[in-house]
Amino acid sequence: MTTLDLEKSIVETAYARWAPIYDAVCGPVMLKGRRAAAEAARAVGGKVLEVGVGTGLSFDDYDATTEITGIDLSAPMLAKARAKMTTGRYPWVKDVQEMDAHAMSFADATFDCVVAQFVITLVENPEQVLSECHRVVKPGGRIILVNHLYSETGLAAAVERWAAVKTRSLGLRPEFPFARLQAWSQSNAESILVERRKVAPFGIYTLVTFERTAAALAA
Ligand SMILES: C[S@@+](CC[C@H](N)C(=O)[O-])C[C@H]1O[C@@H](n2cnc3c(N)ncnc32)[C@H](O)[C@@H]1O
Protein backbone atom coordinates (compact mmCIF):
# COMPACT_ATOMS: atom_id res chain seq x y z
CA MET A 1 0.00 0.00 0.00
CA THR A 2 1.57 3.33 -1.04
CA THR A 3 0.68 6.87 0.01
CA LEU A 4 -1.69 9.14 -1.91
CA ASP A 5 -0.38 11.36 -4.69
CA LEU A 6 0.86 14.75 -3.50
CA GLU A 7 -1.50 17.71 -3.84
CA LYS A 8 -0.33 20.64 -5.95
CA SER A 9 -0.53 23.07 -2.99
CA ILE A 10 1.89 20.92 -0.93
CA VAL A 11 4.36 20.84 -3.82
CA GLU A 12 4.14 24.60 -4.43
CA THR A 13 4.70 25.41 -0.77
CA ALA A 14 7.53 22.90 -0.45
CA TYR A 15 9.47 24.11 -3.49
CA ALA A 16 9.10 27.78 -2.54
CA ARG A 17 10.97 26.73 0.63
CA TRP A 18 13.47 24.54 -1.24
CA ALA A 19 14.41 27.19 -3.83
CA PRO A 20 17.10 29.08 -1.82
CA ILE A 21 18.92 25.90 -0.76
CA TYR A 22 17.99 23.49 -3.56
CA ASP A 23 21.25 23.61 -5.54
CA ALA A 24 23.43 23.12 -2.47
CA VAL A 25 21.37 20.21 -1.09
CA CYS A 26 20.01 18.44 -4.18
CA GLY A 27 22.73 19.33 -6.67
CA PRO A 28 25.33 16.72 -5.67
CA VAL A 29 22.88 14.08 -4.40
CA MET A 30 20.95 13.83 -7.65
CA LEU A 31 23.82 14.57 -10.04
CA LYS A 32 24.24 11.06 -11.50
CA GLY A 33 20.53 10.64 -12.20
CA ARG A 34 20.23 14.07 -13.73
CA ARG A 35 23.27 13.50 -15.95
CA ALA A 36 22.06 10.09 -17.12
CA ALA A 37 18.73 11.56 -18.21
CA ALA A 38 20.35 14.51 -20.00
CA GLU A 39 22.78 12.17 -21.76
CA ALA A 40 19.86 10.08 -23.02
CA ALA A 41 18.12 13.27 -24.17
CA ARG A 42 21.25 14.47 -25.98
CA ALA A 43 21.29 11.18 -27.87
CA VAL A 44 17.87 12.15 -29.25
CA GLY A 45 18.90 15.81 -29.72
CA GLY A 46 16.83 18.66 -31.13
CA LYS A 47 14.06 20.35 -29.15
CA VAL A 48 14.02 19.14 -25.55
CA LEU A 49 11.33 19.99 -23.00
CA GLU A 50 12.41 19.78 -19.36
CA VAL A 51 9.29 19.26 -17.25
CA GLY A 52 9.87 20.45 -13.68
CA VAL A 53 13.12 22.13 -14.69
CA GLY A 54 13.46 23.58 -11.20
CA THR A 55 16.51 25.80 -10.69
CA GLY A 56 18.07 24.68 -13.97
CA LEU A 57 20.68 22.41 -12.46
CA SER A 58 20.60 20.34 -15.66
CA PHE A 59 21.61 23.23 -17.94
CA ASP A 60 25.26 22.21 -17.60
CA ASP A 61 24.43 18.74 -18.93
CA TYR A 62 23.26 19.92 -22.37
CA ASP A 63 25.08 21.48 -25.30
CA ALA A 64 24.44 23.22 -28.61
CA THR A 65 23.07 20.00 -30.18
CA THR A 66 19.90 20.67 -28.20
CA GLU A 67 17.43 23.50 -27.67
CA ILE A 68 16.06 23.44 -24.14
CA THR A 69 12.68 24.71 -23.00
CA GLY A 70 11.86 24.33 -19.31
CA ILE A 71 8.59 24.51 -17.40
CA ASP A 72 7.91 24.48 -13.69
CA LEU A 73 5.08 25.13 -11.28
CA SER A 74 7.30 27.03 -8.84
CA ALA A 75 8.11 30.69 -9.50
CA PRO A 76 10.91 30.74 -6.86
CA MET A 77 12.60 27.70 -8.46
CA LEU A 78 12.28 29.29 -11.92
CA ALA A 79 13.79 32.55 -10.67
CA LYS A 80 16.96 30.58 -9.94
CA ALA A 81 16.87 29.02 -13.41
CA ARG A 82 16.47 32.45 -15.02
CA ALA A 83 19.44 33.76 -13.04
CA LYS A 84 21.55 30.95 -14.52
CA MET A 85 20.34 31.87 -18.03
CA THR A 86 21.41 35.50 -17.61
CA THR A 87 25.05 34.42 -17.10
CA GLY A 88 25.17 33.68 -20.84
CA ARG A 89 26.70 30.25 -20.17
CA TYR A 90 23.72 28.35 -21.56
CA PRO A 91 22.88 29.59 -25.07
CA TRP A 92 21.10 26.27 -25.72
CA VAL A 93 18.45 27.15 -23.12
CA LYS A 94 15.77 28.93 -25.13
CA ASP A 95 13.10 29.63 -22.54
CA VAL A 96 11.71 28.70 -19.13
CA GLN A 97 8.05 29.22 -18.30
CA GLU A 98 5.82 28.95 -15.27
CA MET A 99 3.42 26.18 -16.30
CA ASP A 100 1.65 23.20 -14.78
CA ALA A 101 2.71 19.92 -16.41
CA HIS A 102 -0.88 18.66 -16.13
CA ALA A 103 -2.05 21.15 -18.77
CA MET A 104 0.74 22.43 -21.00
CA SER A 105 0.17 25.22 -23.47
CA PHE A 106 2.42 23.69 -26.16
CA ALA A 107 0.97 22.38 -29.43
CA ASP A 108 0.87 18.63 -30.05
CA ALA A 109 4.16 17.09 -31.26
CA THR A 110 6.32 20.14 -30.49
CA PHE A 111 9.39 18.44 -28.97
CA ASP A 112 11.84 15.72 -30.01
CA CYS A 113 12.28 14.69 -26.42
CA VAL A 114 10.61 15.35 -23.05
CA VAL A 115 12.67 14.91 -19.90
CA ALA A 116 11.40 14.88 -16.31
CA GLN A 117 14.10 14.53 -13.69
CA PHE A 118 12.83 13.80 -10.19
CA VAL A 119 9.33 15.04 -10.99
CA ILE A 120 6.84 12.33 -11.97
CA THR A 121 6.57 10.85 -8.48
CA LEU A 122 5.49 14.13 -6.92
CA VAL A 123 2.92 15.52 -9.33
CA GLU A 124 -0.75 15.46 -8.39
CA ASN A 125 -1.78 13.15 -11.25
CA PRO A 126 1.22 11.29 -12.72
CA GLU A 127 -0.82 9.58 -15.49
CA GLN A 128 -2.19 12.92 -16.69
CA VAL A 129 1.32 14.41 -16.76
CA LEU A 130 2.62 11.40 -18.71
CA SER A 131 -0.22 11.83 -21.21
CA GLU A 132 0.65 15.52 -21.58
CA CYS A 133 4.32 14.63 -22.14
CA HIS A 134 3.20 12.09 -24.75
CA ARG A 135 1.00 14.67 -26.47
CA VAL A 136 3.75 17.29 -26.83
CA VAL A 137 6.47 14.88 -27.98
CA LYS A 138 6.74 14.11 -31.70
CA PRO A 139 6.01 10.63 -33.02
CA GLY A 140 9.31 8.77 -32.83
CA GLY A 141 10.35 11.03 -29.93
CA ARG A 142 11.07 10.00 -26.37
CA ILE A 143 9.95 10.67 -22.82
CA ILE A 144 12.83 10.22 -20.38
CA LEU A 145 12.18 9.99 -16.65
CA VAL A 146 14.63 9.62 -13.82
CA ASN A 147 13.61 9.05 -10.21
CA HIS A 148 14.04 7.06 -7.13
CA LEU A 149 11.33 4.37 -7.44
CA TYR A 150 9.78 2.17 -4.77
CA SER A 151 11.83 -0.87 -3.76
CA GLU A 152 8.57 -2.89 -3.46
CA THR A 153 9.84 -5.52 -0.97
CA GLY A 154 12.01 -5.99 2.12
CA LEU A 155 13.50 -3.53 4.57
CA ALA A 156 14.15 -0.84 1.94
CA ALA A 157 10.45 -0.84 1.01
CA ALA A 158 9.43 -0.53 4.68
CA VAL A 159 11.82 2.39 5.18
CA GLU A 160 10.52 4.09 2.04
CA ARG A 161 6.88 3.74 3.20
CA TRP A 162 7.84 5.23 6.57
CA ALA A 163 9.84 8.04 4.95
CA ALA A 164 7.01 8.81 2.52
CA VAL A 165 4.76 9.92 5.37
CA LYS A 166 7.54 11.91 7.08
CA THR A 167 8.76 13.70 3.93
CA ARG A 168 5.41 14.45 2.30
CA SER A 169 5.36 18.09 3.42
CA LEU A 170 8.86 18.48 1.93
CA GLY A 171 7.46 17.64 -1.51
CA LEU A 172 9.24 14.27 -1.64
CA ARG A 173 7.85 10.79 -2.31
CA PRO A 174 10.20 7.79 -2.06
CA GLU A 175 7.66 4.98 -2.58
CA PHE A 176 6.32 5.46 -6.10
CA PRO A 177 6.12 2.11 -7.95
CA PHE A 178 7.48 1.48 -11.45
CA ALA A 179 4.31 -0.55 -12.14
CA ARG A 180 2.34 2.67 -12.36
CA LEU A 181 4.55 4.07 -15.12
CA GLN A 182 4.37 0.75 -16.95
CA ALA A 183 0.57 0.59 -16.62
CA TRP A 184 0.26 4.06 -18.13
CA SER A 185 2.37 3.02 -21.13
CA GLN A 186 0.44 -0.23 -21.58
CA SER A 187 -2.82 1.70 -21.62
CA ASN A 188 -1.56 3.93 -24.44
CA ALA A 189 -1.43 2.23 -27.86
CA GLU A 190 1.12 4.76 -29.12
CA SER A 191 3.60 4.36 -26.28
CA ILE A 192 6.27 1.73 -25.79
CA LEU A 193 8.66 1.23 -22.91
CA VAL A 194 12.13 1.21 -24.48
CA GLU A 195 14.34 1.24 -21.41
CA ARG A 196 14.30 0.75 -17.66
CA ARG A 197 17.69 0.77 -15.98
CA LYS A 198 19.31 1.58 -12.68
CA VAL A 199 21.74 4.49 -12.75
CA ALA A 200 25.30 3.73 -11.58
CA PRO A 201 27.08 3.75 -9.22
CA PHE A 202 24.61 2.85 -6.45
CA GLY A 203 21.46 2.16 -8.42
CA ILE A 204 19.40 4.48 -6.26
CA TYR A 205 17.81 6.07 -9.30
CA THR A 206 15.99 4.45 -12.18
CA LEU A 207 15.96 5.80 -15.72
CA VAL A 208 12.77 5.01 -17.64
CA THR A 209 12.32 5.80 -21.34
CA PHE A 210 9.11 5.68 -23.36
CA GLU A 211 8.85 6.24 -27.09
CA ARG A 212 5.88 7.73 -28.87
CA THR A 213 5.58 5.30 -31.74
CA ALA A 214 5.81 6.49 -35.30
CA ALA A 215 2.39 4.83 -35.83
CA ALA A 216 1.02 7.98 -34.28
CA LEU A 217 2.28 9.88 -37.34
CA ALA A 218 0.42 7.65 -39.77
CA ALA A 219 -2.85 7.92 -37.83
C1 LIG B 1 12.73 17.56 -7.11
S1 LIG B 1 12.54 19.00 -8.06
C2 LIG B 1 13.48 18.55 -9.52
C3 LIG B 1 14.00 19.77 -10.25
C4 LIG B 1 14.94 19.45 -11.41
N1 LIG B 1 14.28 18.63 -12.41
C5 LIG B 1 16.20 18.78 -10.92
O1 LIG B 1 16.50 17.66 -11.34
O2 LIG B 1 16.91 19.40 -10.14
C6 LIG B 1 10.88 18.84 -8.66
C7 LIG B 1 10.41 20.05 -9.47
O3 LIG B 1 9.17 19.71 -10.10
C8 LIG B 1 8.33 20.84 -10.06
N2 LIG B 1 6.93 20.42 -10.22
C9 LIG B 1 6.19 19.69 -9.37
N3 LIG B 1 4.95 19.53 -9.83
C10 LIG B 1 4.91 20.16 -11.03
C11 LIG B 1 3.89 20.35 -12.01
N4 LIG B 1 2.66 19.85 -11.86
N5 LIG B 1 4.19 21.06 -13.12
C12 LIG B 1 5.43 21.58 -13.30
N6 LIG B 1 6.43 21.43 -12.40
C13 LIG B 1 6.18 20.74 -11.29
C14 LIG B 1 8.64 21.44 -8.68
O4 LIG B 1 8.20 22.78 -8.58
C15 LIG B 1 10.16 21.27 -8.61
O5 LIG B 1 10.82 22.38 -9.15
Side-chain angles (χ1 to χ4, degrees):
M1 186 73 172
T2 57
T3 55
L4 295 173
D5 298 333
L6 269 69
E7 300 93 36
K8 191 170 151 182
S9 58
I10 290 183
V11 172
E12 277 180 315
T13 305
Y15 283 91
R17 290 196 185 122
W18 271 113
I21 56 165
Y22 186 85
D23 287 10
V25 177
C26 299
V29 180
M30 296 167 164
L31 181 70
K32 297 281 183 191
R34 201 178 287 113
R35 279 212 178 135
E39 190 183 340
R42 285 202 316 273
V44 179
K47 288 187 174 185
V48 177
L49 174 66
E50 276 240 2
V51 170
V53 67
T55 63
L57 275 174
S58 62
F59 292 170
D60 276 314
D61 301 327
Y62 292 101
D63 57 28
T65 61
T66 53
E67 180 189 279
I68 310 299
T69 300
I71 64 160
D72 204 286
L73 204 56
S74 169
M77 294 288 275
L78 281 177
K80 298 279 179 186
R82 291 196 178 104
K84 288 186 178 75
M85 289 167 72
T86 59
T87 64
R89 286 174 53 206
Y90 307 108
W92 44 87
V93 181
K94 183 183 152 206
D95 190 20
V96 295
Q97 298 181 39
E98 193 175 328
M99 195 186 295
D100 186 344
H102 293 85
M104 299 188 216
S105 62
F106 305 114
D108 296 358
T110 298
F111 299 97
D112 297 287
C113 186
V114 177
V115 182
Q117 304 167 326
F118 308 106
V119 177
I120 201 67
T121 59
L122 52 84
V123 296
E124 197 164 67
N125 185 331
E127 288 78 12
Q128 188 178 332
V129 169
L130 285 167
S131 294
E132 271 295 89
C133 294
H134 180 88
R135 181 183 69 76
V136 301
V137 81
K138 296 175 185 171
R142 292 192 166 189
I143 301 172
I144 298 166
L145 312 173
V146 70
N147 263 102
H148 169 81
L149 295 176
Y150 186 35
S151 299
E152 314 273 353
T153 56
L155 181 62
V159 171
E160 287 161 10
R161 283 196 304 274
W162 173 84
V165 178
K166 302 286 175 199
T167 60
R168 195 174 171 79
S169 63
L170 298 177
L172 305 174
R173 190 175 182 202
E175 41 61 276
F176 187 96
F178 168 73
R180 222 168 134 178
L181 303 176
Q182 188 176 37
W184 169 81
S185 180
Q186 285 171 344
S187 73
N188 186 329
E190 294 173 358
S191 171
I192 48 168
L193 173 68
V194 291
E195 187 177 27
R196 173 198 185 184
R197 70 174 154 93
K198 296 276 190 190
V199 175
F202 303 118
I204 304 167
Y205 304 126
T206 303
L207 187 101
V208 177
T209 303
F210 298 111
E211 186 167 307
R212 180 172 180 184
T213 62
L217 192 60

